Amino acid sequence: MPLAMNRDVFITCAVTGAGDTVSRSSHVPITPKQIADSAIDAAKAGAAVVHCHVRDPETGAASRRNDLYKEVTDRIRSADVDVVLNLTAGMGGDLIFGDVESPLPLNPKGTDMAGATERVSHVAECLPEICTLDCGTMNFNLGDYVMTNTPAMLRAMAKKMTDLGVRPEIEAFDTGHLWFAKQLAEEGLIEDPVLIQLCMGIPWGAPDDLNTFMAMVNNVPKSWTFSAFSIGRNAMAYPAAAVLAGGNVRVGLEDNLFVGKGQVATNAQLVEKAVQVVEGMGARIIGPEDVRKKLKLTKR
């Protein structure tokens, strides 16, 4: 594939995520106010899109509570800065088996399985411009946890998102997820312009070496818009890799807690660093209005 650097780049900030990162950094936002404030700061630093999970305000654990999503949404929309809102719809597919000798019954601690309507209920209530669709099932990190998204579930969720007028952001953790995303598009369950996020380096999906990354990129149809990120130590190298490959950028505390070795970051600092990288490559950072035009989003 010839080099086709992207010259007009948008940055997504993944603000907090669902992982156990709260104990590792005091900058990871927990309450709806903290999440919204961090998203707003990221927008002021140059993020055109903010991708938001919510957490239990008391424990910091991942949550699916609609009232928390509503508060985050209202706070961001009432801010003095414009930004495209992207809410996760990845919760509700968490399956934890018992152990290697007795996989059943399931371990109730951490298992959280919900139907398609429930998994997108906050999307229906808040009507963000974008919501995510994790496009496959995979062994996720360690132990007996499986991120579960069956073909039937994905078809149902994709249809609900499209019917709501919300643009799905396909999250692809491996090449098979891209294959199924193409099937969803062929069936008309997701509509043009298709938006996809290449999620690299998450155990045990696609590793973040450049050969694998380019295999993912080369499987993205030319008419689609893609962003890419990696977690952990390679996170701040991936803005350059994504732009060189023709894509857009994602950074944020969901993916990485550090802006440099030993330097714990805020979301705004991660965005500022990404802006420096992108502009240092000779590309232009585009804002939320340009993103809306590019992706045909409905601002609410």
Side-chain angles (χ1 to χ4, degrees), residues 57-289:
E58 300 299 323
T59 67
S63 176
R64 289 193 289 110
R65 281 171 47 188
N66 285 20
D67 61 317
L68 299 178
Y69 279 109
K70 184 67 165 58
E71 184 177 347
V72 168
T73 298
D74 290 345
R75 286 180 177 275
I76 291 173
R77 285 178 173 158
S78 64
D80 60 353
V81 63
D82 188 22
V83 69
V84 173
L85 181 61
N86 175 341
L87 296 182
T88 185
M91 305 292 290
D94 300 324
L95 191 65
I96 301 181
F97 290 94
D99 59 48
V100 295
E101 298 297 342
S102 302
L104 297 177
L106 298 173
N107 187 338
K109 185 177 180 180
T111 293
D112 178 30
M113 296 296 293
T117 299
E118 184 178 349
R119 287 182 69 173
V120 299
S121 62
H122 63 294
V123 176
E125 181 174 350
C126 298
L127 291 178
E129 295 172 73
I130 301 170
C131 69
T132 58
L133 184 66
D134 297 343
C135 212
T137 294
M138 63 178 279
N139 294 329
F140 204 101
N141 205 350
L142 303 175
D144 296 298
Y145 170 49
V146 178
M147 180 180 76
T148 308
N149 296 288
T150 66
M153 177 67 75
L154 290 170
R155 284 185 168 96
M157 290 176 67
K159 185 177 189 307
K160 290 178 184 297
M161 293 168 183
T162 299
D163 289 348
L164 288 167
V166 177
R167 176 76 60 206
E169 180 190 60
I170 299 296
E171 292 205 335
F173 296 80
D174 217 334
T175 51
H177 300 179
L178 287 168
W179 186 6
F180 192 70
K182 294 175 189 176
Q183 183 64 30
L184 292 177
E186 185 176 319
E187 294 174 14
L189 295 171
I190 55 175
E191 299 176 340
D192 287 332
V194 174
L195 172 63
I196 195 153
Q197 185 73 246
L198 303 180
C199 310
M200 308 299 297
I202 292 91
W204 300 103
D208 62 5
D209 64 87
L210 290 179
N211 282 338
T212 304
F213 176 51
M214 288 311 300
M216 297 279 278
V217 170
N218 290 337
N219 274 285
V220 176
K222 289 184 178 180
S223 63
W224 292 14
T225 297
F226 79 90
S227 293
F229 71 93
S230 178
I231 64 169
R233 65 186 299 176
N234 290 332
M236 296 316 295
Y238 251 72
V243 171
L244 276 174
N248 299 281
V249 170
R250 170 171 143 172
V251 293
L253 294 177
E254 176 173 353
D255 308 325
N256 162 53
L257 301 177
F258 299 91
V259 72
K261 188 173 182 180
Q263 297 175 281
V264 180
T266 65
N267 278 306
Q269 288 170 335
L270 292 172
V271 173
E272 288 166 358
K273 184 76 168 182
V275 169
Q276 292 171 6
V277 171
V278 173
E279 291 183 338
M281 296 172 68
R284 178 176 75 99
I285 300 294
I286 65 172
E289 275 305 310

Side-chain angles (χ1 to χ4, degrees), residues 13-53:
C13 182
V15 176
T16 188
D20 183 20
T21 53
V22 172
S23 63
R24 295 164 55 202
S25 171
S26 61
H27 296 304
V28 176
I30 298 172
T31 69
K33 184 179 186 304
Q34 290 170 347
I35 293 167
D37 286 349
S38 193
I40 292 162
D41 288 344
K44 290 178 178 178
V49 183
V50 289
H51 169 59
C52 297
H53 291 244

